[in-house]
Amino acid sequence: MKELEKEITQAVRQVLQEATGTDYDGKVLIQETRREFEGDLTVVVFSLAKVLRRPPEEAGAWLGEQLVRRLPHIARYNVIKGFLNLVVDGSYWVEFLNKIRHERRYGLQEAAADAPTVVIEYSSPNTNKPLHLGHVRNNLIGYSLSRIMAADGNRVVKTNIVNDRGIHICKSMLAWQKWGNGITPEKASKKGDFLVGDFYVKFEQEYRKQVEQMVAGGMPEEEAKKKAPLLLEAQEMLRRWEAGDPEVIRLWKMMNGWVYEGFDVTYKALGVDFDKIYYESDTYKVGKKIVLEALEKGIVYRREDGSVWADLRDEGLDEKVLLRSDGTAVYMTQDLGTALLRWEDYHFDKHIYVVGNEQNYHFQVLRILMKKLGYPWADRLIHLSYGMVELPEGKMKSREGKVVDADDLIAGMIETAREMGEELGKLEGLDEKEKEEVYRKIGLGALKYFILKIDPKKNIVFDPRESIDFNGNTGPFIQYTYARIRSVLRKAADRNVAVPEQLGTNYLPNEKETLLVRLLARFPQVRADAAAGYDPALVANFAYETAKAFNQFYHDYSILNETEAEARNFRLVMTLKTGEVLHTAMGLLGIEMPERM
RNA sequence: GGUCCAGUAGCUCAGUUGGAUAGAGCAACAGUCUUCUAAACUGUGGGUCCCAGGUUCGAAUCCUGGCUGGAUCACCA
């Protein structure tokens, strides 16, 4: 399709050159023809008409005449207002199918030997609570993006930074020490991340109680929040941790271990993984070193209380703390270190952070700071900022237990898929294990598609009382279309009908077929656009359109029961390739496709 | 208050270098299974593209101003 557009553009330029005697350096705007008009590609002639000094309608007709004469693939044309609709000859689509017939990886760009390296960071959990729906969105976008970037010819490194140190984990640790009575995930028969999360909530409850008491005793709330004994204890624990206190370290390792075991289960259920995991407990040291070096060079400064700051007011930003007065590191410190470590590890061409938009400011500062510190590759740090997932009553708050838990959500989706599947009863003949596998794919497909079809920038309001759809513009709709296609191909094999290796060019595809093949032809461009815009939603919407076009075709025409050989052959190849494209496209979203459903 | 993001049908969303009469799904209603899978297909109704100006042959899209919602401006991460 891209080639054809180029051909047309070239021809238009040549025709203009011949007509006016000068080169036309403006744009030639070509778009897919809207459904209600006859044609496949449309040249917008308004600007061209100006060059030709003729009214748009007349210029369009003249141009159409020229193009039909010069281009073998353009069968005829019509002009409506200033739009020149070109009808592509049916043989072009047959040839197109022949061309991609044996491309197993059609639509994907192989990574060349000197392909750019793209590091993608996503997930980045805190180790003090289980993953919730917000994390799910992060993981799905990050994983999908890594597939898309890889499909676009990049070498991709999936990374995760585990925020395993800091005051938050100390809060859980302290609460466990005080009220845990030595409980473990085994004894509680609870996933480790949930158990640790419970203690985080416990800390917050007790802390709030203390603050309330102190306020009742006459202390201003601001002061009470800073001076509550529990908080002071947690801060003391962080200092001891950073000083390497063996008892604190032991507790920290144990509780983090519980959390990791829990995360692994969730990651596995979601189908996401990483090539390299960084731990903040390592990278903060590098960050501290960077800050102290910058201090020596006078790029940052120390205040009287001992804290270290960067002054970014020249850049239109504020002052930013880099080390606390007690010398401990903050979030920014470790991110400086992580960035440097990754640079040393990969010398990336791009480093994409998949992090929520609440941290826009943080990444703005990070980039400017890295630049100020003398790292020219700071420009390669890209923040893919995605919107929040909110509940109807507002933001999710782990501290208050108001969250949609990731594990529950996944289990619920699979359960719904099972109920619907059993009701429809199409999986008879499969054993229980095979059925479960199908339900798992469908449940997760529904969840992933639901999240990924939405523009990452936008906030999502998720109402747990309303279930995620399985009909219409959904993952299961596309999966179902794929299962239908596979079913047809299985039946073809049963009947010893082979999908032809090559098609004769006599067949003229009908309207629905042309529409579908046109979509298949668009796929490489969709992949490229999605990579350029870091936007999985483009792939999702493409897959939907393609599935819809196939279903419309399928409804109106027979494939195997078609008696005319040319038509049957064309449809078989088209069906095969549609299935492949759907499989590939959904794969870019991290969605698996069942062979039957 | 500064900065960033969003605002399109009752609801959830597409609409990407400015192009034709703004499109899907859900929900509602009415149809289509003796046929390659009805998780599908077809039809009906549903719009102040937040508002007001501006640029343009042409604006949901670009510019200016305003309105609404969210985020952020922490010695939390």
Side-chain angles (χ1 to χ4, degrees), chain A residues 421-484:
Chain A
E422 294 293 328
E423 203 173 310
L424 291 167
K426 290 186 188 172
L427 295 182
E428 281 155 29
L430 296 189
D431 64 39
E432 284 308 309
K433 218 174 141 190
E434 289 169 325
K435 278 190 193 173
E436 266 318 295
E437 185 58 9
V438 172
Y439 298 145
R440 188 188 64 79
K441 284 180 183 171
I442 296 171
L444 275 159
L447 174 61
K448 291 182 179 184
Y449 187 87
F450 172 79
I451 303 256
L452 289 175
K453 77 168 176 181
I454 298 171
D455 181 346
K457 280 192 305 243
K458 293 196 173 171
N459 287 358
I460 296 180
V461 178
F462 178 77
D463 190 344
R465 287 168 299 244
E466 282 176 29
S467 53
I468 293 173
D469 265 318
F470 283 68
N471 299 321
N473 186 356
T474 65
F477 171 87
I478 300 163
Q479 290 172 318
Y480 171 72
T481 309
Y482 179 76
R484 260 184 160 178

Side-chain angles (χ1 to χ4, degrees), chain A residues 181-190:
Chain A
N181 295 320
I183 196 159
T184 63
E186 290 74 36
K187 283 187 208 164
S189 37
K190 200 168 206 170

Side-chain angles (χ1 to χ4, degrees), chain A residues 297-313:
Chain A
K297 290 185 199 155
I299 302 171
V300 298
Y301 70 96
R302 195 188 285 277
R303 284 189 184 169
E304 274 182 18
D305 62 3
S307 55
V308 177
W309 295 73
D311 188 349
L312 302 174
R313 284 176 295 191

Side-chain angles (χ1 to χ4, degrees), chain A residues 66-85:
Chain A
Q66 297 294 319
L67 292 179
V68 168
R69 194 178 309 159
R70 288 166 194 239
L71 298 174
H73 297 307
I74 305 303
R76 55 188 184 278
Y77 72 92
N78 62 80
V79 179
I80 297 165
K81 295 188 192 168
F83 299 91
L84 169 60
N85 302 321

Side-chain angles (χ1 to χ4, degrees), chain A residues 72 101 119 205 219 224 247 353 359 377 391-392 439 505 528:
Chain A
R101 167 69 178 84
V119 172
Q205 285 168 349
M219 189 182 282
E247 193 196 329
Y353 292 93
Q359 292 190 31
W377 44 266
L391 300 175
Y439 298 145
T505 49

Side-chain angles (χ1 to χ4, degrees), chain A residues 1-13 27-33 40-45 47-48 63 67 71 74 83-86 88:
Chain A
M1 186 83 102
K2 197 75 186 171
E3 289 77 33
L4 189 54
E5 282 176 33
K6 264 188 208 151
E7 232 173 79
I8 295 168
T9 303
Q10 220 161 27
V12 169
R13 282 187 199 283
K27 276 176 189 160
V28 179
L29 185 61
I30 299 175
Q31 53 198 202
E32 286 188 48
T33 305
D40 299 289
L41 289 167
T42 296
V43 181
V44 182
V45 295
S47 51
L48 309 178
L63 204 54
L67 292 179
L71 298 174
I74 305 303
F83 299 91
L84 169 60
N85 302 321
L86 302 171
V88 175

Side-chain angles (χ1 to χ4, degrees), chain A residues 269-467:
Chain A
L270 275 177
V272 305
D273 55 26
F274 307 94
D275 300 310
K276 168 115 183 171
I277 297 179
Y278 292 83
Y279 295 90
E280 188 190 330
S281 53
D282 297 326
T283 66
Y284 87 99
K285 292 176 194 158
V286 179
K288 268 178 138 175
K289 217 172 116 198
I290 294 173
V291 174
L292 293 175
E293 279 170 16
L295 187 62
E296 267 175 39
K297 290 185 199 155
I299 302 171
V300 298
Y301 70 96
R302 195 188 285 277
R303 284 189 184 169
E304 274 182 18
D305 62 3
S307 55
V308 177
W309 295 73
D311 188 349
L312 302 174
R313 284 176 295 191
D314 292 349
E315 320 277 346
L317 301 174
D318 243 318
E319 294 178 280
K320 188 82 192 169
V321 66
L322 299 177
L323 290 177
R324 296 194 186 93
S325 48
D326 62 5
T328 55
V330 293
Y331 178 42
M332 184 58 76
T333 324
Q334 66 90 10
D335 252 4
L336 295 173
T338 310
L340 182 58
L341 274 176
R342 292 206 180 119
W343 171 253
E344 286 169 352
D345 287 347
Y346 298 108
H347 287 89
F348 46 75
D349 296 273
K350 269 184 193 167
H351 184 302
I352 305 173
Y353 292 93
V354 180
V355 179
N357 61 16
E358 56 192 350
Q359 292 190 31
N360 286 354
Y361 185 70
H362 173 82
F363 283 100
Q364 204 185 344
V365 171
L366 177 68
R367 195 208 274 241
I368 288 174
L369 206 49
M370 287 305 271
K371 203 147 205 194
K372 228 176 152 80
L373 294 172
Y375 301 108
W377 44 266
D379 288 334
R380 302 181 186 187
L381 303 177
I382 297 159
H383 178 203
L384 172 55
S385 160
Y386 65 89
M388 300 286 94
V389 182
E390 288 169 21
L391 300 175
E393 55 271 23
K395 224 181 148 177
M396 286 190 270
K397 288 183 180 139
S398 307
R399 259 177 273 186
E400 296 166 27
K402 280 196 294 190
V403 290
V404 176
D405 172 73
D407 291 344
D408 290 350
L409 185 62
I410 294 167
M413 295 302 296
I414 295 172
E415 176 56 28
T416 307
R418 184 182 303 122
E419 280 166 18
M420 291 182 76
E422 294 293 328
E423 203 173 310
L424 291 167
K426 290 186 188 172
L427 295 182
E428 281 155 29
L430 296 189
D431 64 39
E432 284 308 309
K433 218 174 141 190
E434 289 169 325
K435 278 190 193 173
E436 266 318 295
E437 185 58 9
V438 172
Y439 298 145
R440 188 188 64 79
K441 284 180 183 171
I442 296 171
L444 275 159
L447 174 61
K448 291 182 179 184
Y449 187 87
F450 172 79
I451 303 256
L452 289 175
K453 77 168 176 181
I454 298 171
D455 181 346
K457 280 192 305 243
K458 293 196 173 171
N459 287 358
I460 296 180
V461 178
F462 178 77
D463 190 344
R465 287 168 299 244
E466 282 176 29
S467 53

